[in-house]
């Protein structure tokens, strides 16, 4: 082997090593964004993250709305009168015992709330076509049935009515009660998205 062939062999090895290194850097540069695309965005992670609300700031008989996973969540602090009205409408409801409704096991009770409390947490999405029902807490509203209306939710799009536990009345377009998400109540801090 001559001196010229030895120099060419060294050059060849340096060029091969350099090309391989540059190729590896190029593959890493292309692969990194591709692999990162498999992970959810910060916005998507935030949309699925639990939401907290201090319910001590909600007056009795009032409702607040928070967003969880892109859906409005209604939080209602019911009064004793509102709770008493729940039994008065049971015979007019499609599913008064919430047997075919979407809710955690701990909400399968008359008030559809954890520990049968006065706090209602439900999705504000009508089970008919996904409209947002309005909160109508006034008792005896003439446009909602007069003496048979003890407060609840009314979907103005197609006329579905729900009581103050989110249970749908009979003969309504909506087939099921309003869904109840997983939630936890620790003192006055309500967390939607965890049990």
């Amino acid at each position: 082997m001559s001196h010229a062939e030895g120099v060419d062999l060294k050059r060849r090895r340096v060029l091969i090593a350099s090309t391989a290194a540059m190729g590896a850097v190029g593959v890493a540069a292309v692969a990194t964004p591709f692999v990162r695309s498999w992970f959810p965005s910060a916005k998507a992670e935030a949309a699925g993250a639990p939401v907290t609300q201090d319910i001590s700031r909600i007056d009795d008989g009032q409702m607040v709305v928070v967003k969880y996973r892109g859906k409005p969540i209604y939080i209602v602090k019911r009064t004793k009168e509102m709770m008493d009205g729940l039994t008065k409408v049971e015979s007019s409801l499609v599913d008064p015992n919430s047997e075919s409704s979407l809710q955690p096991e701990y909400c399968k009770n008359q008030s559809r709330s954890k520990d049968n409390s006065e706090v209602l947490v439900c999705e504000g999405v009508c089970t008919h076509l996904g409209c947002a029902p309005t909160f109508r807490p006034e008792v005896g509203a003439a446009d909602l049935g007069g003496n048979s209306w003890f407060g609840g939710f009314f979907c103005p799009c197609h006329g579905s009515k729900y009581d103050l536990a989110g249970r749908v009345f009979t003969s309504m377009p909506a087939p099921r009660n309003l869904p109840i998400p997983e939630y936890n109540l620790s003192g006055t801090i309500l967390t939607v998205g965890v049990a």
Side-chain angles (χ1 to χ4, degrees), residues 28-42 44-45:
V30 170
T32 299
F34 177 68
V35 171
R36 281 192 181 160
S37 72
W38 295 345
F39 297 105
S41 67
E45 285 180 354

Side-chain angles (χ1 to χ4, degrees), residues 126 128-129 131 154-160 172-173:
C126 181
H128 178 228
L129 292 177
C131 305
F154 173 68
C155 186
C157 299
H158 298 98
S160 293
M172 296 292 138

Side-chain angles (χ1 to χ4, degrees), residues 48-122:
V51 176
T52 59
Q53 175 70 38
D54 184 354
I55 62 168
S56 67
R57 298 178 183 174
I58 304 172
D59 293 331
D60 290 345
Q62 297 299 307
M63 178 181 87
V64 296
V65 180
V66 297
K67 279 265 196 197
Y68 175 65
R69 293 188 175 170
K71 295 179 183 174
I73 302 297
Y74 294 171
I75 303 170
V76 181
K77 199 171 195 183
R78 298 174 285 195
T79 63
K80 182 184 180 328
E81 293 77 23
M82 290 173 156
M83 296 294 285
D84 292 344
L86 296 178
T87 57
K88 297 175 182 176
V89 297
E90 282 188 341
S91 63
S92 304
L93 302 172
V94 172
D95 185 14
N97 298 320
S98 301
E99 293 168 2
S100 63
S101 301
L102 298 173
Q103 77 264 321
E105 282 296 318
Y106 53 79
C107 289
K108 283 192 175 182
N109 52 52
Q110 183 185 52
S111 67
R112 295 187 77 215
S113 61
K114 196 169 204 171
D115 301 325
N116 222 6
S117 77
E118 73 280 355
V119 178
L120 172 67
V121 180
C122 67

